[in-house]
Amino acid sequence: MNLYEKLRRSSIGRDDVIARAVLTPAVSTMISDGSVHDSELSQLTNLCSFSPIFVPYDAQALSSLVQDIIGKIEAEGHDAVIAQAAEHLSPSLRETALCFAARIALADGRLDDGEKASLAQTGYHMQIPASIFEKVIEVVAMMQRPANA
């Protein structure tokens, strides 16, 4: 890590509660089909690398957060954990969390019925208005188009 990166990381406060809450819907979507695909992990790492929320987190800290979320989902269920996460997020950060989840759902370039249902549940628990939910899904789908689209 270069000096600039060290300075940037030290100037931004780390908030594990917010980071965990933003990641929760994405992790829930990622594990909803019973397996974690390399494309999903790659997409999640990419998302976090460009988000100011995750600047203070190195790969190990991020992995630890993801593993904690998986354990909590396994113990309490997807819906309960997403609803709890929503309690810690502003309406704007709930939209951000939905964007993360949509990017994970579309990591393989398609949105199957299980992923659609998972995203709909996330939108419901995050109390995201239908008009915003639809916009998020549309824009993320636009971002995930293949080269031959």
Side-chain angles (χ1 to χ4, degrees):
M1 179 181 332
N2 65 31
L3 178 60
Y4 174 74
E5 184 64 20
K6 285 180 185 178
L7 290 171
R8 191 177 116 164
R9 285 183 187 272
S10 67
S11 68
I12 297 174
R14 185 169 151 163
D15 188 332
D16 288 352
V17 172
I18 295 299
R20 186 176 282 106
V22 168
L23 281 179
T24 294
V27 172
S28 176
T29 300
M30 187 170 64
I31 66 171
S32 66
D33 64 359
S35 62
V36 176
H37 303 282
D38 289 341
S39 61
E40 294 168 329
L41 283 172
S42 178
Q43 186 70 270
L44 186 61
T45 300
N46 184 311
L47 287 167
C48 291
S49 71
F50 287 97
S51 170
I53 295 167
F54 298 98
V55 167
Y57 295 86
D58 61 17
Q60 184 178 1
L62 191 58
S63 178
S64 180
L65 280 177
V66 169
Q67 292 305 314
D68 288 348
I69 294 165
I70 290 171
K72 191 166 184 170
I73 290 169
E74 289 172 347
E76 300 176 31
H78 292 267
D79 291 337
V81 176
I82 291 171
Q84 291 167 20
E87 294 174 7
H88 299 287
L89 298 174
S90 67
S92 295
L93 286 179
R94 290 175 185 189
E95 294 170 2
T96 299
L98 177 63
C99 289
F100 271 55
R103 291 286 303 266
I104 295 303
L106 285 158
D108 60 1
R110 63 184 197 290
L111 194 60
D112 66 33
D113 290 338
E115 291 166 329
K116 288 178 189 174
S118 177
L119 291 173
Q121 280 298 103
T122 295
Y124 170 77
H125 290 300
M126 293 281 168
Q127 300 174 342
I128 295 174
S131 62
I132 299 294
F133 179 87
E134 291 170 13
K135 285 179 187 176
V136 167
I137 301 305
E138 288 174 12
V139 169
V140 172
M142 288 177 204
M143 292 174 67
Q144 298 298 110
R145 289 181 180 144
N148 64 351

